[in-house]
Amino acid sequence: MLDDTLKTQLAAYLERVTLPIEIVASLGDDSNSVEMRELLETIQALRSDKITLKTDGTDARKPSFSLNRLGANMSLRFAAIPLGHEFTSLVLALLWVGGHPPKVEPDVIEQIKNLEGDFNFEVYVSLSCHNCPDVVQALNLMAVLNPKVKVVTIDGGLYQDEVNQRQIMAVPTIFLNGEVFGSGRMEIEEIIGKLDTGAAARDATKLSAKAPYDVLIVGGGPAGAAAAVYAARKGIRTGVAAERFGGQVNDTLGIENFISVLETDGPKFAAALEAHVRSYDVDIMNLQRADKLIPATQPGGLIEVQLANGGSLKSKTVILSTGARWRNVNVPGEQQYKNHGVAYCPHCDGPLFKGKRVAVIGGGNSGVEAAIDLAGLVAHVTLIEFDTQLRADAVLVNKLKSLPNVSIHTHALTTEITGDGQKVNGLSYTDRATNEAHHIELEGVFVQIGLVPNTEWLKGTLELSKHGEIVVDARGQTSLPGVFAAGDVTTVPFKQIIIAAGDGAKAALGAFDHLIRAVVPA
C-alpha cells in the first residue's frame, strides 16, 4: 500500500511523536477493511514504541479508526482510508495527537481551547478533492485541542449509502450536530468564526486600530502575493487583506506552465505564495472581504478600504487584486441545486457521481478537460457548448471524441437545470440551429464557462470595462490616483497565473513610484 519511499518519509515524520498514541480500528470482513488494517499495521510498525494498534473497535462505520492520546480525551476518527490528498491529513493528525505542536498562531489555538458547547462534526470528502484536506486538518486540530470538539472524516466513495441518504453532491460538506454547517473549502479561522459569534466584532476593532500602510493589497492570489513581495522589498509598510490567500489558484489541480516550476498543483502553489510573502515583513490579514473603497479626499491623503466585518484599513496607496470566480450559467435551477447536483470542480466532486450520468457546460479547455476526467468515473458525460464548435485545444478535443461514453452537443443553449426539489434530475437545452428543445435525464451538471471578475463592490467608484474588469494603464494605475490593480480582475488579457504574478510586481513598482512622487500634505 505504501511504497518504500513513502514509508521512509512517514517514519521520519513519526520520529516527532513524543506522546503515546492509541489507534482503535473498527473493521469488517470486506476488502476495504483489509486495506485499512494493512495501512494501520504499517503505521504501528514504523513507531511501535509510541503507537498502539487495537482492532476490536465497535464503531458502526466499518471500516474506520480513531486516534487518541493515552490519558487524554479526544474524539478524532477517519471513516476513510486516508490516502491520496488526505494522506497529509493522516500524518498531521498522528503528529498532533502525538504531541507535536501545530504551526498555528497562538491566538487561534487559544480561541479553539475557549470554545464552549458540544461540537459533533462529520465531514464528507473524496480522496481526489484538493480542497478537502484544509477542512479535515482544521477540524482535526480542533478535536486535538478541545475535548468538546468531535470529528469524523468520511470518504463519500466508501460510504455511498450515507452520501445518497444525506443527498451530498459536493465535497467537502460539513455537518455539525446533524445539521449542514458548510460546504466547500474553509480555513480554520473561518470555522472558528462561525462558532465564536463575537469573533468578527473583535477582529473588526483590531483591524481598524492598525496604523496606515504605505501599500495595502486587497487580494492574496498570485498578483497580490507578487505585489506584496515587491512592495516589502522596498522597505515600505505593506499589508495584504485577502478573502482567502491563494485565491482561485486553490481550485486549480495541475499547474505545468509556470516557468521554472516543472509541475505542481494549486494548493501547493498557494501555500508557496503565502510562505514567500510571510518571509518578508508583510501584515497578512486573511479571511477579510473588502466591501467598499473610499478614495483620498486630498492629494497625498489616505485611501480607505472598508471590510465586510465592519473593520476599516487605511493606506497611502492601494493595489486591487481580488481576482475572479467561476462564472454562473444563470439559468433556472442553477442556484437551487448548487451542491445538490450542480458543481464547479470536477476533481473535487467527480467521485460522488461514480456510475451516474452528468453534463458539462462549456467547450473550452477547462470544460473538455472536465469531461475527459469525468468520463473515467461516471456512466456517461454529455458536453454542452454554446458555440458551433469546441474551443479547446485540438489534442484535448481528439481525446474527448475518442471516449465511448461521451456525447457532444455544439451550437446548444442551456435553458434550465431541472430537479425533483432535492437534487438535479436533468438538463434542458435548445439546438440553436433548429430551435428544437431537448431534455437530458442526468444526476449532475458541472459548469465550466470561465470566470467573472470580483468587482461588484467597486461599481461607481472607479472605471470598469463593459465586462466588469478594472481598467488599468501600462503601469497598473486605475482611474483613481494612488489606486492600482493587477491580475485577473483587470482588463489585462490572457488570464494566466504567470501573467497575474507579473502584473502584481508591476503594480507594486507603480505604487512605489507614486509614493516617492506624491505630494506631501501640509
Side-chain angles (χ1 to χ4, degrees):
M1 177 175 292
L2 301 181
D3 60 32
D4 291 339
T5 301
L6 207 53
K7 286 180 184 178
T8 301
Q9 293 173 345
L10 181 56
Y13 282 120
L14 293 179
E15 285 298 318
R16 304 176 190 179
V17 171
T18 58
L19 300 174
I21 299 172
E22 182 178 73
I23 304 176
V24 180
S26 300
L27 303 171
D29 299 323
D30 57 291
S31 60
N32 290 319
S33 293
V34 172
E35 191 175 352
M36 179 175 287
R37 182 192 291 270
E38 181 184 342
L39 173 63
L40 298 178
E41 286 176 345
T42 300
I43 293 170
Q44 194 273 333
L46 290 174
R47 195 68 201 273
S48 57
D49 60 323
K50 291 293 183 183
I51 300 176
T52 303
L53 172 61
K54 296 182 178 179
T55 57
D56 57 354
T58 59
D59 191 82
R61 290 189 180 98
K62 296 181 180 180
S64 67
F65 65 94
S66 64
L67 299 179
N68 194 23
R69 184 184 301 158
L70 288 181
N73 179 21
M74 297 177 185
S75 183
L76 190 162
R77 175 173 293 277
F78 285 92
I81 302 169
L83 299 174
H85 286 295
E86 291 302 341
F87 185 67
T88 302
S89 300
L90 171 61
V91 173
L92 287 174
L94 288 165
L95 292 179
W96 294 334
V97 173
H100 188 71
K103 293 181 180 179
V104 180
E105 295 296 327
D107 57 340
V108 173
I109 292 175
E110 194 62 27
Q111 198 175 358
I112 293 170
K113 290 180 177 179
N114 291 333
L115 288 173
E116 293 292 339
D118 293 312
F119 307 103
N120 184 11
F121 285 103
E122 299 165 289
V123 53
Y124 288 84
V125 304
S126 71
L127 301 186
S128 61
C129 168
H130 54 280
N131 287 324
C132 294
D134 287 333
V135 175
V136 172
Q137 290 161 25
L139 293 174
N140 284 347
L141 178 59
M142 292 170 64
V144 170
L145 295 174
N146 189 330
K148 300 181 182 69
V149 178
K150 300 176 175 61
V151 177
V152 56
T153 298
I154 306 158
D155 177 5
L158 202 60
Y159 288 90
Q160 195 72 47
D161 289 343
E162 281 191 45
V163 166
N164 292 335
Q165 183 181 358
R166 284 182 146 172
Q167 298 183 345
I168 297 166
M169 306 190 82
V171 289
T173 293
I174 310 168
F175 285 78
L176 172 59
N177 300 332
E179 301 293 328
V180 175
F181 176 78
S183 182
R185 188 174 185 269
M186 297 175 72
E187 303 280 354
I188 191 167
E189 294 89 350
E190 187 177 356
I191 295 171
I192 298 168
K194 291 185 71 171
L195 301 175
D196 182 358
T197 54
R202 293 195 303 271
D203 199 25
T205 300
K206 187 164 62 174
L207 290 168
S208 298
K210 288 180 179 286
Y213 298 93
D214 292 312
V215 175
L216 174 63
I217 298 146
V218 184
V229 168
Y230 267 72
R233 287 172 62 87
K234 294 294 185 182
I236 57 181
R237 178 166 161 76
T238 305
V240 177
E243 191 164 357
R244 63 166 179 164
F245 212 98
Q248 191 80 3
V249 166
N250 287 291
D251 302 324
T252 303
L253 192 61
I255 299 172
E256 299 176 354
N257 57 357
F258 193 90
I259 309 307
S260 83
V261 179
L262 290 179
E263 183 180 357
T264 186
D265 62 45
K268 287 180 183 177
F269 191 80
L273 289 177
E274 186 168 357
H276 197 170
V277 175
R278 288 190 183 278
S279 70
Y280 291 92
D281 186 16
V282 176
D283 186 7
I284 296 178
M285 297 156 282
N286 209 1
L287 300 176
Q288 301 300 331
R289 181 167 59 84
D291 202 43
K292 188 176 183 181
L293 178 70
I294 301 176
T297 56
Q298 60 177 337
L302 294 175
I303 302 161
E304 182 179 355
V305 175
Q306 293 182 352
L307 304 172
N309 65 2
S312 175
L313 301 168
K314 294 181 179 179
S315 182
K316 296 175 184 176
T317 62
V318 169
I319 298 174
L320 304 172
S321 58
T322 47
R325 63 188 184 276
W326 293 116
R327 185 182 298 278
N328 291 327
V329 71
N330 291 323
V331 296
E334 180 180 21
Q335 294 301 318
Q336 180 181 356
Y337 295 110
K338 189 173 286 187
N339 296 329
H340 294 279
V342 175
Y344 299 84
C345 179
H347 305 296
C348 299
D349 300 332
L352 299 177
F353 294 85
K354 186 176 181 179
K356 298 179 180 179
R357 300 159 299 175
V358 303
V360 173
I361 301 175
N365 279 350
S366 57
V368 172
E369 286 174 355
I372 293 169
D373 237 7
L374 290 165
L377 290 169
V378 303
H380 190 270
V381 180
T382 301
L383 189 140
I384 307 291
E385 164 57 32
F386 181 81
D387 205 348
T388 54
Q389 61 184 3
L390 300 182
R391 294 167 288 107
D393 296 340
V395 64
L396 294 174
V397 173
N398 292 337
K399 172 65 176 177
L400 182 70
K401 290 181 177 179
S402 73
L403 300 175
N405 62 334
V406 173
S407 300
I408 301 171
H409 299 287
T410 56
H411 214 197
L413 172 66
T414 302
T415 55
E416 184 179 7
I417 297 171
T418 62
D420 60 7
Q422 299 293 324
K423 59 185 185 297
V424 166
N425 64 14
L427 178 146
S428 298
Y429 73 93
T430 299
D431 186 321
R432 296 174 58 216
T434 64
N435 208 31
E436 186 178 350
H438 299 271
H439 182 78
I440 310 166
E441 293 185 355
L442 42 74
E443 289 77 40
V445 177
F446 289 82
V447 181
Q448 300 281 291
I449 56 171
L451 303 170
V452 59
N454 295 315
T455 56
E456 288 83 358
W457 64 288
L458 294 168
K459 287 180 179 177
T461 306
L462 45 65
E463 185 182 357
L464 302 176
S465 73
K466 64 180 181 179
H467 301 296
E469 300 164 319
I470 301 172
V471 177
V472 292
D473 65 13
R475 304 162 68 87
Q477 173 73 57
T478 72
S479 60
L480 290 177
V483 178
F484 296 77
D488 288 1
V489 75
T490 73
T491 50
V492 172
F494 311 121
K495 313 303 186 185
Q496 296 289 308
I497 293 171
I498 197 165
I499 293 173
D503 260 8
K506 181 173 63 178
L509 295 174
F512 181 72
D513 188 63
H514 176 87
L515 285 170
I516 62 177
R517 298 171 185 275
V519 175
V520 178

